[in-house]
Amino acid sequence: MRDDTLSPTADLSRLTATQARAGLKAGEFTALDLMRSCLKRIALRDKDVRAWITLNPEAEAQAALIRADDPRPLAGIPVAIKDMIDTGDLPTTHNSPLYSTNRPGSDAPCVEVLKAAGAIVIGKTDTTEFAACGRNAATANPFDVARTPGGSSAGTAAGVADFHVPLGLGTQTGGSTIRPASFCGDVALKPSWGLISTEGAKRYAVSFDTIGLFARSLDDIALLADVYNLPQAPDVPARRLKLGLCRTPYADQLAPEGRALMDSLAQRLHEVADVVPFDLPEDFVDLDALHRCIQHCEGASAFLNLARKRGALLHDDFHHRVDLREGFTQREHFEAYDRLTLMRMEFEQMLDGFDGVLAPSAPGFAPLGRSAGNPLFNALWTALQVPVLGLPASGFDLPLGVSLIGKRAFDRQVIAVGARIAAHL
C-alpha cells in the first residue's frame, strides 16, 4: 500500500507543482531542498514501485542553480519523462534490449519546452516496450504492488501518484495516459491530437500518438497547458453545467466498480451539473476496430526497419504488427481514415449544447500483474482525436477515474469544466 503518512510540511515531495512554485517564490525552501526531498522519496519507495529506469546524476546541481526570483513558470520543478521520449543528457532505452545504450543527440521538443520553462528532468520512467507492446514495464502500482500501474506510461503514472515527482510526461496512442492515471489516482490530460509535438518520441501510429500530461492537481494541468501554449477556448458559462453520460458502446465490459462509478455520477455532481444520457450512434461501435486497424497498419511501417535489421532480437509482438497478422489490409487502413473523419465531425456536432461528456477511464480497478490493461474505454476517444481529462473519483478501495471529453482544441475548456466538478467526484 502506498505510504500516505507524511504531510507536505514534513516532506516537500508531497507538494503539487503549483504549491512548490509558491513556496519557492516565497523563499520557504529552495529548489535544491525540493529536489532532495523527491530523490529521498524515490530512494525510499522505488525498490517496490520501480518507476525509474534512469535518474539524472546532475539533478541536484541543476536545482542548486535555481533562484527564488526565477520568473519561469516551472523553475526548479522536478519532472519525469517517459523513457521513449528523447533526452539529450540521459539515455532513451524504450524498455528495449535493442536500445539499452541509446544516447540521443538532443531533447525532444516536448522536453525542451519543459526545460525552457525551468523544469528539471529528474529521470526517465519505465514504459511498455516502445510504448506499444512486447515487454511490460517492471513498475508496480503504488497502492498495491501486486497490481499493474497500467501501460504504457507505467513509470510516470506511478511516480507522480507515489510523490516521487509532481509532474510527468507520458504518451497515448490507445489508452496509455488516461488508463494508468485511473489505475494510480492521477489527474491527467490526453490533449487534442497534434497540439504538442511528438517529434523525438518513438512513433507507433502517427494518427493517434499524443504526448500525455500527468499531475496530482488540476491547477498543475492548467499550468502545463500554459507551458505548452495550448489554444484558448470559449469560457465555461457561469450557469449550471450540462454533461453527457456516455457509457460507450462497450458498457457490458465494465467491471462492477466501473458500473458503480458511472451509476453514481449524476448524484455526485447534482449540485453543479445536470448529467444526462449521451448515447453514441450505433455505428460508433466500430470505433475500437477502426482504431486498431489504423494503429496496426501505421505500426507496420513504424517497426518495419527493426523487423528487417534486428528481426531475431525484436519481440514477436512487433513482427505481429509488421506482418499485419490481425488481417487488416493497408487499403482498409485508408478506408478507416475516411470513416473516422466523418465520425469526428458527427461527434462534435453531438457535443453542441453540452459542456462535456463523462465516460469510463478504464473497465475497473487495476488488474493484478504487470499488463498494460484494457484500452477499450480509451481508444475510441483517441481515434476521435479529442481532448480527454482523467479525474480520480473517491469512495473506492483502489483508485478509479472518470474521463471528461470535449471538442478538439477545447482542451482549456475541458480543464475548466474539470475544475468545476473535481471536488464533487
Side-chain angles (χ1 to χ4, degrees):
M1 184 64 68
R2 186 179 71 168
D3 175 10
D4 282 328
T5 59
L6 297 176
S7 68
T9 55
D11 183 357
L12 299 178
S13 68
R14 299 295 296 269
L15 298 175
T16 67
T18 303
Q19 292 168 337
R21 280 298 301 145
L24 289 168
K25 288 180 181 179
E28 296 171 3
F29 50 85
T30 68
L32 181 57
D33 294 332
L34 176 62
M35 182 62 70
R36 284 175 171 167
S37 186
C38 289
L39 290 170
K40 181 179 178 181
R41 178 70 176 180
I42 292 169
L44 173 69
R45 290 283 293 166
D46 206 50
K47 62 183 181 297
D48 297 318
V49 177
R50 302 182 68 183
W52 302 90
I53 288 181
T54 307
L55 290 174
N56 177 9
E58 301 298 322
E60 291 186 56
Q62 292 166 5
L65 299 176
I66 301 294
R67 295 166 52 93
D69 59 355
D70 192 317
R72 294 176 294 173
L74 295 179
I77 301 299
V79 297
I81 307 297
K82 184 176 179 178
D83 197 29
M84 42 70 69
I85 300 173
D86 282 349
T87 45
D89 50 1
L90 293 172
T92 300
T93 74
H94 306 281
N95 187 22
S96 167
L98 302 180
Y99 282 80
S100 59
T101 60
N102 179 48
R103 295 296 296 256
S106 60
D107 292 327
C110 60
V111 176
E112 286 190 310
V113 169
L114 288 178
K115 288 185 175 181
I120 300 171
V121 174
I122 197 171
K124 306 294 289 290
T125 52
D126 206 352
T127 173
T128 308
E129 191 170 354
F130 294 117
C133 46
R135 298 200 303 186
N136 291 317
T139 310
N141 191 305
F143 286 87
D144 179 354
V145 295
R147 296 177 184 269
T148 180
S152 60
S153 304
T156 297
V160 170
D162 202 42
F163 309 111
H164 301 190
V165 67
L167 300 175
L169 293 188
T171 62
Q172 180 158 312
T173 303
S176 295
T177 293
I178 298 302
R179 184 180 63 252
S182 178
F183 289 168
C184 293
D186 294 324
V187 180
L189 179 69
K190 195 287 294 182
S192 301
W193 177 81
L195 293 186
I196 300 177
S197 173
T198 57
E199 179 186 351
K202 180 69 178 89
R203 301 295 174 85
Y204 179 12
V206 294
S207 295
F208 306 139
D209 293 341
T210 307
I211 301 298
L213 311 178
F214 287 84
R216 292 192 300 272
S217 78
L218 269 169
D219 286 342
D220 285 3
I221 295 293
L223 178 60
L224 288 172
D226 289 339
V227 168
Y228 281 106
N229 200 29
L230 297 188
Q232 296 300 317
D235 292 336
V236 180
R239 56 161 172 76
R240 186 175 176 82
L241 297 171
K242 181 181 179 183
L243 300 175
L245 181 65
C246 183
R247 298 174 189 268
T248 82
Y250 320 113
D252 61 337
Q253 298 197 44
L254 283 170
E257 62 271 15
R259 288 195 297 273
L261 175 55
M262 290 297 104
D263 291 343
S264 74
L265 289 177
Q267 178 59 35
R268 286 174 185 252
L269 301 178
H270 76 278
E271 293 183 9
V272 293
D274 294 318
V275 179
V276 300
F278 188 97
D279 297 324
L280 296 173
E282 286 187 9
D283 64 332
F284 276 46
V285 71
D286 294 337
L287 276 169
D288 186 64
L290 294 170
H291 174 273
R292 281 188 292 108
C293 176
I294 293 173
Q295 180 175 258
H296 280 246
C297 290
E298 292 186 346
S301 62
F303 297 109
L304 178 63
N305 64 311
L306 295 179
R308 292 288 188 265
K309 288 190 65 178
R310 311 294 292 275
L313 297 176
L314 187 66
H315 195 286
D316 188 60
D317 282 354
F318 299 99
H319 291 284
H320 186 286
R321 300 294 187 272
V322 170
D323 298 338
L324 293 176
R325 294 180 197 168
E326 286 205 11
F328 299 120
T329 70
Q330 292 292 3
R331 175 61 192 177
E332 289 172 330
H333 166 203
F334 287 96
E335 292 170 350
Y337 283 154
D338 295 340
R339 284 197 65 191
L340 281 179
T341 296
L342 296 174
M343 288 177 165
R344 289 166 188 150
M345 296 166 62
E346 184 174 2
F347 177 69
E348 293 209 340
Q349 290 172 351
M350 293 177 64
L351 277 175
D352 288 342
F354 287 86
D355 298 303
V357 170
L358 298 165
S361 289
F365 298 144
L368 295 169
R370 294 292 179 266
S371 70
N374 189 342
L376 187 64
F377 292 98
N378 316 113
L380 74 168
W381 310 121
T382 307
L384 293 174
Q385 299 180 340
V386 291
V388 184
L389 180 67
L391 295 169
S394 64
F396 297 95
D397 293 335
L398 289 168
L400 189 62
V402 63
S403 291
L404 177 65
I405 299 112
K407 292 183 178 181
R408 288 169 293 178
F410 279 26
D411 302 53
R412 288 182 186 266
Q413 187 181 83
V414 172
I415 295 168
V417 172
R420 294 265 295 271
I421 69 173
H424 300 275
L425 291 173

